Amino acid sequence: MPTGVYSRGEPIARFWSKVDRSGGPDACWHWTGWHDIGGYGVVWWQGRDQKAHRIAFLLSGGVLTDEKPLVLHSCRGKCCNPAHLAAGTHADNNGRDKARDGTKRVGESHYRAKLTDDDVRAILADVAVGQTQKSIARRLVMSEAQISRIVRRESWKHLQE
């Protein structure tokens, strides 16, 4: 079981005090502390920042192994309810589970997207009428490499032509 590093107070009690369990044992338990850019809770634990759901899983007796190093959610939220968490693999996280439960984020729904689906359609239309990738990249203040990945359908491939 991990031990925490806090300047004051009992680390386990301080951790759980930042988890909203008001919805009961079956509800998602949301982290009320700091969140990263992806919306996941982050806690200072064992001398470094760690995902809050990972610590909740470990504190509740969960075990991670080399074969299953990740903590996955069965819910669609970013919660800390141990009943919603399980050990898994990168393949589980990036493939089957996300596709099955509809949480895989592509295109403009991805939290790091800077373009919209309509922007990408416009890029493809501009290339189709003869504009160069270089001129499009300059106009949009993007790299030519990214424009090329869009045109070659290596990125934004979920859009129909």
Side-chain angles (χ1 to χ4, degrees):
M1 185 176 292
T3 58
V5 179
Y6 284 100
S7 59
R8 62 187 192 285
E10 214 303 298
I12 294 171
R14 282 182 49 89
F15 173 83
W16 288 114
S17 74
K18 298 221 180 253
V19 178
D20 178 4
R21 297 177 276 183
S22 62
D26 297 326
C28 286
W29 295 354
H30 295 283
W31 178 252
T32 62
W34 188 76
H35 291 78
D36 67 12
I37 192 169
Y40 288 94
V42 176
V43 60
W44 183 258
W45 200 265
Q46 292 186 326
R48 65 186 180 106
D49 284 338
Q50 297 197 49
K51 302 288 188 197
H53 66 280
R54 181 178 182 89
I55 301 305
F57 177 77
L58 295 171
L59 287 175
S60 300
V63 176
L64 297 174
T65 64
D66 289 341
E67 293 78 31
K68 292 189 173 190
L70 302 179
V71 177
L72 309 180
H73 295 87
S74 63
C75 58
R76 294 185 181 189
K78 296 174 174 82
C79 89
C80 293
N81 185 340
H84 297 184
L85 305 173
T89 65
H90 287 281
D92 295 334
N93 193 40
N94 292 325
R96 297 177 305 238
D97 287 350
K98 285 184 177 181
R100 183 194 71 231
D101 69 13
T103 60
K104 185 170 185 178
R105 302 289 182 229
V106 296
E108 65 187 32
S109 68
H110 192 277
Y111 74 94
R112 293 184 64 192
K114 292 186 171 50
L115 298 172
T116 66
D117 291 351
D118 288 340
D119 292 336
V120 172
R121 286 185 189 100
I123 290 168
L124 295 170
D126 290 346
V127 168
V129 296
Q131 287 190 27
T132 66
Q133 293 178 24
K134 184 175 189 172
S135 68
I136 295 168
R138 281 187 181 157
R139 184 181 76 234
L140 297 176
V141 191
M142 295 178 62
S143 71
E144 288 180 58
Q146 183 56 40
I147 300 296
S148 180
R149 283 189 290 273
I150 291 169
V151 171
R152 291 190 321 261
R153 310 304 282 179
E154 292 175 6
S155 64
W156 296 83
K157 54 189 165 191
H158 68 284
L159 296 178
Q160 298 297 321
E161 296 216 31

